[in-house]
Amino acid sequence: MRSPTDAFDELAALFLTEDPDASSSAAAVLPAVQLLVVGHAPVMAGLWLAQYADLLGRQCGPTGLIRFDETEVSLEILRAGGRRVGLDGSPTLHEAIRSAARVVERWVVRADPRLPHASLLNAGADQIVLMTGADARRRA
């Protein structure tokens, strides 16, 4: 079984290395990649992740949300406007992302919180977003 760190490294390589099949045109626009770091969030943080990605989808177009958890990786596509991503059989993470990239204009990646912070910062994201909540009430 691969560790979440291995899957994260594979994903980082996918976004950071050139695709030999891609056009070398300077006009090619790469989708934005946000690295989402979840701090203290009320209730279940997973619900807030989807809400955040959906908000980005409404504002910026089709958004892919990739979540790395302890033993698995999940991919959701939000606000795709009816466009479908064709996946046959049991695709690898690499194949699923390549298929989704035909539709997705922005990626949000939530890394496994157990990854070292240096790995997260060196992942090459366009933005790093800290998602956290605040409790305004002070307890004595």
Side-chain angles (χ1 to χ4, degrees):
M1 174 186 298
R2 293 181 328 151
S3 73
T5 303
D6 294 339
F8 185 77
D9 289 343
E10 179 182 329
L11 179 67
L14 179 63
F15 282 112
L16 298 176
T17 56
E18 287 190 33
D19 182 356
D21 299 330
S23 156
S24 61
S25 168
V29 177
L30 297 175
V33 178
Q34 280 189 4
L35 180 62
L36 188 58
V37 179
V38 179
H40 173 73
V43 191
M44 296 180 64
L47 299 173
W48 296 98
L49 297 174
Q51 291 294 322
Y52 176 72
D54 185 61
L55 173 67
L56 287 177
R58 282 193 306 257
Q59 294 173 344
C60 306
T63 300
L65 172 60
I66 301 174
R67 302 181 207 206
F68 287 88
D69 293 311
E70 290 182 27
T71 59
E72 66 183 28
V73 178
S74 65
L75 167 63
E76 292 177 65
I77 300 172
L78 299 108
R79 302 290 174 163
R83 290 176 276 181
R84 301 178 67 73
V85 175
L87 295 174
D88 295 323
S90 299
T92 65
L93 176 62
H94 190 268
E95 293 166 340
I97 290 172
R98 281 196 183 277
S99 293
R102 288 183 246 141
V103 173
V104 170
E105 296 175 15
R106 171 174 303 274
W107 292 96
V108 176
V109 179
R110 198 291 316 271
D112 187 315
R114 296 172 297 142
L115 285 175
H117 296 300
S119 294
L120 298 176
L121 296 175
N122 291 328
D126 298 309
Q127 295 179 326
I128 298 176
V129 176
L130 174 62
M131 177 182 283
T132 187
D135 188 352
R137 292 180 287 168
R138 190 174 191 187
R139 295 183 183 212

